[in-house]
């Protein structure tokens, strides 16, 4: 028998199992009681009785078995060993009618999923029913279910493996995404179980969570007419527009004004809508009063709709039976100009391009201006003008194109879409006479080489002229050239691809090898360029550098004779030798002594 009063045929850790032993005669205390591999204790009892109780408190490591037999070792008082047989009709039967005890130490597990009976099962509004379907791996007690602080009602009775918990959403419920619940239950042995969200089945509707939305949407609106004379008056042929804005995404609303149904379309996601109606002679006159019916995506009915000037001049409209509507689309001309004062037809990063738009009538602020794939901004300007300026500041990533046309989207105040054509004779012509703007974001490059007009073009002395020949890959401005601290004079004018820079060496110039120069220039758009020494052509003289030498050489000499008697005396037939030594390598010198020319030869380098 067990002490599990709820279900005496099942035990879990902590429950006590008792074996009641009734002997045919007085016996000694049983020495061993084992059931299902578990040792039972017979404590505090004395020999000589016919009745004993052995107990075992179940622990988690015990085997999960059904106990219907035990091994009991005992003797009578004479020492004769006895045998014990299982008897469900024994005294245990009088206590809880148990014919065997099942040991269960394993906690049950369950999965659950969440759904709503809303048309969108992942959303719920007041009145919708949330359902939690619970499936356990064994028979369990009726679970208690709480999700996001909301209590659920569970149908069914203990002993099942499947339950459904429900909750009807009310206005006071939290506005939350329900994607996790606290589910408490035990198996029939009393082991506490766990429950996990089953993301694979998800109640067979691919929904693993439900978002509760108890808040009704609010809607604001205003009414305007495309009557260019007065957009608060609408006559036959005019288009009346109701601008609707919602406080949250909503389904397409219904709009009725003075009993007339307006055609509604979304203009910005699910929060901005436009409802339109073309006035006819049969429409009732008077101030338009609108009724707007809205529901959010969960299905909450909009509780409020009120008038607000969403756009400038958008408020009220009165219908009249007299007058005519505007049916003529507007036109516009435009021209393009830049703030590059040096060359207004070229722009580089940092320059500003302006599109000057002149309309044939008052128009709304253009909604889009695009030139050469670049977006232009029309900022700080109001509807109702005939002139607008759109600007764009050039950046390095802009395309390199010539801008002679733009795509400009605009409407007149009646809402009629217009067309714009390029006109270089427009106002831009009076500013800088530009008929198109070329965007240039690519830096130019150039090569250069160095030579001297010395007989040895790799050397230069005072009076020699150094020449730097510069060749660019596009038209550039006149470059400035500095080599080893020496300034060069550059011939030519801006707009060429080839320049020559010269410098006449003077005594004060540094004695250096000139093999690199600083050459500064830009292309005609203003992009700064770079220059590299061209070691392949080298000005066609195979010279890639020039060494400047402004220091005169010094020479020492001595004279001797081959007269063996006295080498300071020379007579006819003697060889007189002048030994010359220079402070640096020199060309073969000329030697004259007493007007006589001496034959000179090198004896040690130069």
């Amino acid at each position: 028998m067990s002490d599990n009063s709820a279900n005496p045929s099942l035990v879990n850790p902590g429950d006590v199992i008792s074996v009641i032993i009734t002997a045919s005669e007085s016996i000694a205390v049983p020495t061993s009681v084992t059931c299902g591999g578990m040792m039972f204790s017979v404590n505090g009892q004395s020999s000589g009785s016919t009745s004993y109780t052995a107990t075992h408190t179940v622990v988690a490591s015990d085997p999960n078995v059904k106990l219907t037999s035990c091994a009991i070792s005992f003797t009578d008082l004479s020492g004769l060993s006895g045998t014990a047989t299982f008897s469900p009709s024994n005294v245990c039967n009088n206590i809880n009618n148990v014919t065997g005890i099942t040991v269960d130490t394993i906690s049950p597990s369950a999965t659950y999923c969440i759904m709503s009976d809303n048309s969108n099962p992942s959303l719920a509004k007041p009145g919708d029913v949330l359902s939690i379907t619970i499936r356990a791996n064994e028979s369990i007690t009726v679970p208690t279910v709480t999700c996001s602080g909301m209590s659920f009602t569970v149908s069914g009775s203990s002993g099942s493996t499947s339950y459904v918990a429900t909750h009807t959403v009310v206005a006071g419920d939290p506005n939350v995404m329900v994607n996790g619940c606290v589910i408490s239950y035990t198996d029939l042995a009393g082991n506490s179980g766990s429950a996990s969200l089953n993301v694979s089945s998800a109640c067979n509707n691919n929904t693993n969570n439900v978002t509760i939305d108890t808040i009704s949407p609010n809607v604001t609106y205003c009414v305007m007419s495309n009557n260019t004379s007065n957009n608060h008056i609408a006559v036959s042929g005019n288009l009346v527009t109701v601008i609707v804005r919602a406080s949250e995404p909503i389904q397409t609303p219904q709009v009725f004004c003075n009993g007339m149904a307006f055609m509604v379309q979304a203009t910005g996601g699910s929060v901005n809508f436009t409802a339109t109606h073309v006035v006819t002679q049969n429409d009732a006159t008077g101030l338009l009063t609108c009724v707007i019916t809205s529901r959010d995506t969960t299905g909450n009915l909009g509780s409020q709709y009120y008038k607000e000037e969403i756009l400038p001049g958008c408020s009220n409209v009165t219908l009249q039976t007299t007058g005519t509507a505007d049916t003529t689309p507007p036109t516009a001309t435009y021209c393009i100009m830049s703030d590059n004062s040096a060359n207004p037809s070229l722009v580089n990063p940092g320059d500003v391009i302006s599109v000057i738009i002149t309309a044939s009538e008052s128009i709304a602020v253009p909604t889009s201006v695009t030139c050469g794939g670049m977006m232009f901004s029309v900022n700080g300007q109001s509807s109702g003008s005939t002139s607008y300026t759109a600007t764009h500041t050039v950046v390095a990533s802009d395309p390199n194109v010539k801008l002679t046309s733009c795509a400009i989207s605009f409407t007149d105040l009646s809402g009629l879409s217009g067309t714009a054509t390029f006109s270089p004779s427009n106002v831009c012509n009076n500013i800088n006479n530009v008929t198109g703007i070329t965007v240039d974001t690519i830096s130019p490059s150039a090569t250069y080489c160095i030579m001297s007009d010395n007989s040895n073009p790799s050397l230069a002395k005072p009076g020699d002229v150094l020449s730097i020949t510069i060749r660019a890959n596009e038209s550039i401005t006149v470059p400035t050239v500095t080599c080893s601290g020496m300034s060069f004079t550059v011939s030519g004018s801006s707009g060429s691809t080839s320049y020559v820079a010269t410098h006449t060496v003077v005594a004060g110039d540094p004695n250096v090898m000139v093999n690199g120069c600083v050459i500064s220039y830009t292309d005609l758009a203003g992009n700064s360029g770079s220059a590299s020494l061209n070691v392949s052509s080298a000005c066609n003289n195979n010279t890639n550098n020039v060494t400047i030498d402004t220091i005169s050489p010094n020479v020492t000499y001595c004279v001797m004779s081959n007269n063996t008697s006295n080498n300071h005396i020379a007579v006819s037939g003697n060889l007189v030798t002048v030994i010359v030594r220079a402070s640096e390598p020199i060309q073969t010198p000329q030697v004259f002594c007493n007007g006589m020319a001496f034959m000179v030869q090198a004896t040690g380098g130069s």
Side-chain angles (χ1 to χ4, degrees), residues 337-388:
M337 61 180 284
S338 82
D339 66 350
N340 184 345
S341 57
N343 193 333
S345 65
L346 294 172
V347 291
N348 71 323
D351 289 338
V352 177
I353 307 172
S354 298
V355 177
I356 310 298
I357 304 165
T358 303
S360 59
E361 61 179 286
S362 296
I363 62 173
V365 177
T367 56
S368 172
V369 178
T370 306
C371 307
M374 296 175 289
M375 298 296 295
F376 282 61
S377 300
V378 186
N379 296 324
Q381 301 174 64
S382 303
S383 288
S385 177
T386 59
S387 180
Y388 293 90

Side-chain angles (χ1 to χ4, degrees), residues 18-319:
S18 298
V19 177
I20 309 299
I21 305 166
T22 303
S24 60
E25 59 180 288
S26 297
I27 62 172
V29 176
T31 57
S32 171
V33 178
T34 306
C35 306
M38 296 176 288
M39 297 297 296
F40 282 62
S41 300
V42 186
N43 296 324
Q45 301 176 61
S46 303
S47 290
S49 176
T50 59
S51 179
Y52 293 90
T53 300
T55 61
H56 174 77
T57 301
V58 178
V59 295
S61 58
D62 283 341
N64 285 261
V65 293
K66 183 174 183 179
L67 305 179
T68 55
S69 65
C70 299
I72 303 174
S73 298
F74 68 97
T75 66
D76 62 15
L77 300 182
S78 301
L80 296 172
S81 297
T83 58
T85 57
F86 177 63
S87 174
S89 62
N90 203 317
V91 64
C92 298
N93 199 46
N94 299 327
I95 298 174
N96 56 22
N97 199 30
V98 173
T99 58
I101 300 289
T102 297
V103 179
D104 182 359
T105 64
I106 301 173
S107 296
S109 62
T111 59
Y112 68 95
C113 59
I114 310 168
M115 65 180 293
S116 162
D117 66 351
N118 188 289
S119 58
N120 182 338
S122 65
L123 299 173
K125 67 181 186 302
D128 290 339
V129 178
L130 302 181
S131 298
I132 309 290
T133 301
I134 305 164
R135 293 184 174 90
N137 66 339
E138 61 176 291
S139 297
I140 61 172
T141 58
V142 177
T144 61
V145 179
T146 305
C147 305
S148 299
M150 298 175 290
S151 295
F152 280 61
T153 301
V154 183
S155 60
S157 56
S158 284
S160 176
T161 59
S162 179
Y163 295 90
V164 175
T166 58
H167 173 78
T168 301
V169 178
V170 295
D173 282 340
N175 285 266
V176 293
M177 176 186 286
V178 181
N179 58 4
C181 299
V182 177
I183 300 177
S184 301
Y185 66 94
T186 68
D187 61 16
L188 300 185
N191 295 297
S192 295
S194 59
S196 58
L197 186 65
N198 185 357
V199 296
S200 58
S201 69
C203 302
N204 299 318
N205 68 351
N206 295 319
T207 302
N208 296 321
N209 58 67
V210 174
T211 297
I212 298 176
D213 179 4
T214 65
I215 301 173
S216 296
N218 292 323
V219 169
T220 59
Y221 76 96
C222 65
V223 189
M224 60 190 300
S225 164
N226 68 346
N227 188 328
T228 56
S229 301
N230 186 340
N231 68 353
H232 300 302
I233 300 295
V235 297
S236 179
N238 280 149
L239 179 72
V240 177
T241 301
V242 179
I243 308 294
V244 179
R245 285 187 182 170
S247 59
E248 61 175 293
I250 61 173
Q251 303 170 38
T252 301
Q254 292 180 324
V255 178
F256 286 84
C257 299
N258 289 13
M260 298 176 291
F262 277 52
M263 185 174 64
V264 183
Q265 61 180 357
T267 56
S270 299
V271 295
N272 294 308
F273 297 86
T274 299
T276 56
H277 172 74
V278 178
V279 179
T280 69
Q281 291 287 352
N282 298 323
D283 289 342
T285 60
L287 182 69
L288 280 180
T289 301
C290 300
V291 176
I292 300 174
T293 304
S294 64
R295 290 183 182 273
D296 63 18
T297 53
T298 307
N300 292 300
L301 182 64
S303 59
Q304 297 182 51
Y305 56 92
Y306 53 93
K307 203 173 279 188
E308 182 179 89
E309 190 173 355
I310 298 173
L311 298 176
C314 181
S315 55
N316 296 310
V317 168
T318 299
L319 298 189

Side-chain angles (χ1 to χ4, degrees), residues 387-434:
S387 180
Y388 293 90
T389 298
T391 60
H392 174 77
T393 300
V394 179
V395 295
S397 58
D398 282 340
N400 285 262
V401 293
K402 183 173 183 180
L403 306 179
T404 56
S405 65
C406 299
I408 301 175
S409 298
F410 68 97
T411 66
D412 62 15
L413 300 183
S414 300
L416 298 171
S417 296
T419 56
T421 56
F422 179 62
S423 175
S425 60
N426 204 314
V427 64
C428 298
N429 199 47
N430 300 326
I431 298 173
N432 55 23
N433 200 30
V434 174

